[in-house]
Amino acid sequence: MLAAVLLSISASAQSDDALANFDHEVTQPAPGGDTTDGGPQAVSNITSVAGVPLVRLNNGVLMPRFGLGTQVQSLEGANQRQQLNETVRGMVIAALQSGYRHLDDAMFYYNERGAGWGIKESGIPREEVWVTSKISGNLADAQNAFNGMLERLQVDYLDLVYIHHPAGTLADILACWRVMEKEYKAGRIRTLGISNFDNRMEAFNYIMQNAEIKPQMAQIECHPLAQRKDARQLYANNYDIQVECWYPLNHNRTDVNNTTLQQIAAAHGKTVYQIILRWHMQEGLCPVPGSTNPAHILENISIFDFELTDEEMESIRAIDRGDAGRSFNLSYGNWGFGNFSDYTYTHAFTPTAIESTQANTVSGENPIYTLQGQQVHTPQKGVHITRQIDGTTKKVLVK
Ligand SMILES: NC(=O)c1ccc[n+]([C@@H]2O[C@H](COP(=O)([O-])OP(=O)(O)OC[C@H]3O[C@@H](n4cnc5c(N)ncnc54)[C@H](OP(=O)(O)O)[C@@H]3O)[C@@H](O)[C@H]2O)c1
């Protein structure tokens, strides 16, 4: 039971393995129930890579409990779609080749085509990757939205689909959920989720009362300055729903200047970003940090070779500022979300050409460097977004 997550906040004892024992009780039917063979999702082959623990969700599905956030807000202008998708293509390739197996996307990010290209070119089989997207816009037309997601991401099933925002009428929100349930039973969705429902309790209660298949996942803002203890109590303890954290690095705002985090980072020889993400992991949460920088992407997943002590966990818990620490705290209601009318967007994306090719050997040519200047990685087959020691990047096909 994930109840252990929140109980651990007040307990001083630490388990032998600080990342284990966050599995959920299985209370919900498995995906693909309307099919004889489980449907498209039956090929899924999720394993633990790069030390990332798997968590069993309340439908028995195993999920990597650490992922990449793919939203790049600075490139979301209507005339930036090519650049946005090209950037996300590179982020996804860098992440999958760094050991990430969980990608957090949304139709609202206008980047699903780039993410889909990245998955295809990474050299990692699609069935080994946890792919999330989120439905928004006209929730009453969720079927069209979902069909568009599959087409843009170039997949035939999704591992996790959220309702992105609890905006609009309760009837439309439930209509969207019914489409998700139908696709779940058909084996085209493996897991169902609610995002930002902590900001509209009537919508959360309505889903819990009326859902035939209850949510496995809830996505909320959560980081050391806004630890969201009430929302985590509600989801994890009361309903056995796994919590996933957006803005885990507080969108790179003020966390990094915090002296508590800096002192802990210095003690472990890690960066503040790594300390924040390790805190999430030891709390039983699922962070999805975003980065456009291959070295940051690698740095952020390099958190499975050390452990925060009980005292360090307590001192990070003490810097919580509650709702005052939140970056984005919107009250949703019976209104459409923003101006997102383009909910079945059709913009094209043409991946740019590969710059060079190399054989499947470690030639030392086109290496990836960490921020500390260390060379990493044995090239795998597929397209690589490599980072040179001078900070420039190249796109290389490893044959
Ligand atoms: N459900 C929702 O409503 C919702 C809302 C917001 C976000 N999200 C999800 O949450 C994900 C994460 O949010 P986010 O990316 O906006 O915020 P974030 O993960 O908290 O922070 C990302 C920022 O931190 C920087 N950064 C990351 N790693 C770093 C490192 N090791 N060193 C230095 N800087 C680093 C990034 O810059 P660089 O690019 O330079 O590395 C970027 O500016 C999104 O991508 C999205 O998938 C969901």
Side-chain angles (χ1 to χ4, degrees):
M1 285 281 285
L2 195 60
V5 175
L6 286 165
L7 292 178
S8 72
I9 287 173
S10 54
S12 60
Q14 196 157 2
S15 68
D16 288 346
D17 178 354
L19 303 182
N21 303 321
F22 293 114
D23 283 347
H24 299 262
E25 196 177 327
V26 178
T27 56
Q28 300 302 303
D34 277 358
T35 69
T36 50
D37 59 359
Q41 64 87 35
V43 300
S44 172
N45 182 23
I46 300 288
T47 57
S48 172
V49 177
V52 175
L54 304 181
V55 61
R56 189 185 66 205
L57 303 174
N58 71 23
N59 61 353
V61 166
L62 293 175
M63 180 188 77
R65 199 160 53 75
F66 178 92
L68 176 78
T70 65
Q71 184 176 26
V72 185
Q73 290 176 30
S74 57
L75 295 176
E76 285 177 357
N79 58 353
Q80 293 175 299
R81 298 285 152 79
Q82 177 69 23
Q83 192 189 354
L84 169 69
N85 280 269
E86 193 57 33
T87 300
V88 171
R89 173 195 183 201
M91 287 164 61
V92 165
I93 292 169
L96 294 178
Q97 293 180 351
S98 299
Y100 289 63
R101 290 293 180 272
H102 177 149
L103 306 172
D104 184 66
D105 208 334
M107 55 191 295
F108 189 55
Y109 304 161
Y110 296 104
N111 67 20
E112 289 168 308
R113 287 189 209 285
W117 275 97
I119 296 167
K120 281 172 71 156
E121 293 177 327
S122 68
I124 310 294
R126 182 269 171 269
E127 58 269 22
E128 295 180 18
V129 184
W130 180 276
V131 185
T132 299
S133 199
K134 312 187 189 81
I135 296 178
S136 48
N138 181 2
L139 296 182
D141 194 19
Q143 187 67 61
N144 259 332
F146 176 70
N147 296 348
M149 275 177 181
L150 294 184
E151 184 265 317
R152 291 185 294 266
L153 283 158
Q154 305 166 66
V155 294
D156 59 1
Y157 72 91
L158 282 167
D159 294 84
L160 168 58
V161 173
Y162 283 107
I163 298 182
H164 201 154
H165 316 99
T169 66
L170 294 179
D172 284 353
I173 291 171
L174 185 60
C176 181
W177 195 259
R178 291 284 182 246
V179 169
M180 289 161 57
E181 288 177 330
K182 178 175 84 82
E183 296 296 346
Y184 181 95
K185 291 182 200 170
R188 283 187 289 271
I189 302 178
R190 304 188 68 221
T191 305
L192 304 180
I194 48 176
S195 162
N196 297 307
F197 278 55
D198 50 313
N199 275 28
R200 190 177 174 192
M201 277 305 293
E202 65 164 347
F204 174 69
N205 291 332
Y206 197 66
I207 286 292
M208 295 311 293
Q209 283 156 13
N210 291 290
E212 182 186 337
I213 300 164
K214 309 289 186 224
Q216 283 71 58
M217 297 290 297
Q219 198 174 94
I220 62 173
E221 179 182 357
C222 182
H223 47 77
L225 290 188
Q227 297 184 17
R228 313 304 314 286
K229 288 173 186 163
D230 290 348
R232 288 162 56 195
Q233 173 82 30
L234 174 78
Y235 291 136
N237 284 20
N238 299 3
Y239 290 98
D240 220 14
I241 295 171
Q242 172 67 41
V243 174
E244 184 161 55
C245 304
W246 58 261
Y247 280 10
L249 302 170
N250 196 17
H251 206 52
N252 206 15
R253 289 198 173 103
T254 49
D255 286 297
V256 284
N257 295 319
N258 183 284
T259 48
T260 300
L261 295 171
Q262 284 172 342
Q263 283 166 0
I264 296 172
H268 288 276
K270 292 284 182 182
T271 67
V272 164
Y273 301 92
Q274 290 171 313
I275 298 301
I276 293 171
L277 295 168
R278 181 73 200 190
W279 170 83
H280 283 90
M281 295 309 301
Q282 289 186 214
E283 291 286 56
L285 301 165
C286 173
V288 287
S291 175
T292 54
N293 181 331
H296 292 173
I297 287 171
L298 181 64
E299 176 187 318
N300 292 345
I301 199 175
S302 303
I303 55 170
F304 299 104
D305 56 353
F306 76 107
E307 189 170 335
L308 297 172
T309 66
D310 292 342
E311 293 71 28
E312 288 166 340
M313 289 295 287
E314 284 299 341
S315 60
I316 297 174
R317 288 172 191 140
I319 64 174
D320 183 20
R321 296 176 52 218
D323 277 354
R326 291 192 65 177
S327 281
F328 189 74
N329 187 0
L330 191 62
S331 284
Y332 296 94
N334 183 9
W335 43 270
F337 183 72
N339 294 316
F340 190 58
S341 54
D342 186 15
Y343 68 96
T344 55
Y345 61 85
T346 53
H347 75 90
F349 165 60
T350 310
T352 54
I354 310 285
E355 287 163 45
S356 63
T357 59
Q358 67 181 48
N360 187 16
T361 56
V362 187
S363 67
E365 205 184 338
N366 302 314
I368 299 176
Y369 288 94
T370 67
L371 288 180
Q372 290 76 35
Q374 295 163 322
Q375 186 181 334
V376 291
H377 289 300
T378 302
Q380 300 167 351
K381 289 180 183 176
V383 176
H384 284 244
I385 308 293
T386 65
R387 182 182 173 85
Q388 320 296 300
I389 203 157
D390 64 2
T392 58
T393 56
K394 274 189 176 179
K395 204 170 293 159
V396 180
L397 174 66
V398 178
K399 294 195 284 188

